[in-house]
Amino acid sequence: MLLVGIIYASATGQGDAAQRALFSGGAEAVQLALSLCGAYAFFGGLLGVLRASGTADALAKWIEKPLGKLFRFERGEEKALADISLNLSANMLGMGGAATSAGLSAMKTMREVNGERASDAMILFLVINTSSVQLFPATMVALRAQAGAAHAADIVLPTLLSTAWATLCGIGACRWCARRGKKSCCLR
């Protein structure tokens, strides 16, 4: 896309404007990344405190039982449930970056059981993780605050509703694929 944009800008005689936009966009991206470092450090530290105090594990344990009923694990995959619940609970609190290690650990555990084949539980975890119900979208609130929004947290309810709906639709799609007699929801 970048190459097409450069070719188009050159062909239309707007090469200088494209070059200025390219360099200013790069500077803005670096500035945004640096401004988010504080928010990520805060919420990453908060997750560390929640883990050290046992609160993250308590939340993870609290959602393990419903998750155990939601996932249809193959033999041996249930060992990933603690990592799955920790990942999803951190995502619900808007700390997606801090939740990544638990998600990778869960997928690694399930992969050890299934080898190269994605199981229904792996696919469902990926779908739920991607739609990621957000109780508090910390990153987006931080972005809005950095941009000078008067009420940065106004997006909390719409985000909760839309991510919950996306998660329900994803779960339904996975269940529908599994009921159609396929071994898993993925295409082979």
Side-chain angles (χ1 to χ4, degrees):
M1 287 182 3
L2 182 63
L3 182 61
V4 170
I6 291 170
I7 292 170
Y8 178 78
S10 297
T12 58
Q14 298 178 356
D16 291 337
Q19 184 179 12
R20 282 192 304 274
L22 181 67
F23 289 129
S24 69
E28 289 173 14
V30 169
Q31 184 180 8
L32 176 63
L34 289 175
S35 69
L36 284 178
C37 282
Y40 270 108
F42 173 75
F43 287 111
L46 179 62
L47 184 60
V49 169
L50 292 175
R51 276 185 174 169
S53 70
T55 306
D57 289 332
L59 179 60
K61 287 280 185 207
W62 184 72
I63 66 171
E64 262 186 34
K65 192 167 190 164
L67 287 177
K69 293 178 191 242
L70 177 65
F71 284 88
R72 295 182 180 145
F73 292 114
E74 293 181 14
R75 187 179 316 242
E77 285 184 325
E78 66 279 350
K79 292 184 277 184
L81 187 57
D83 284 329
I84 290 172
S85 60
L86 181 59
N87 172 272
L88 295 179
S89 60
N91 276 334
M92 286 180 189
L93 297 174
M95 297 182 277
T100 302
S101 61
L104 290 174
S105 176
M107 282 298 214
K108 181 180 177 187
T109 300
M110 290 189 283
R111 185 174 182 220
E112 289 170 358
V113 173
N114 297 302
E116 295 298 317
R117 185 181 71 71
S119 69
D120 286 338
M122 291 171 80
I123 294 167
L124 182 60
F125 176 56
L126 180 64
V127 167
I128 292 173
N129 196 347
T130 302
S131 61
S132 183
V133 172
Q134 296 284 300
L135 297 176
F136 183 74
T139 302
M140 291 309 298
V141 170
L143 276 172
R144 288 174 47 88
Q146 288 290 332
H151 303 285
D154 282 352
I155 62 166
V156 172
L157 182 61
T159 301
L160 173 63
L161 295 175
S162 63
T163 57
W165 180 248
T167 300
L168 288 174
C169 289
I171 291 169
C174 282
R175 290 287 185 253
W176 182 76
C177 287
R179 283 194 192 116
R180 291 191 41 118
K182 296 179 181 178
K183 184 63 180 164
S184 70
C185 299
C186 66
L187 298 175
R188 298 183 197 273

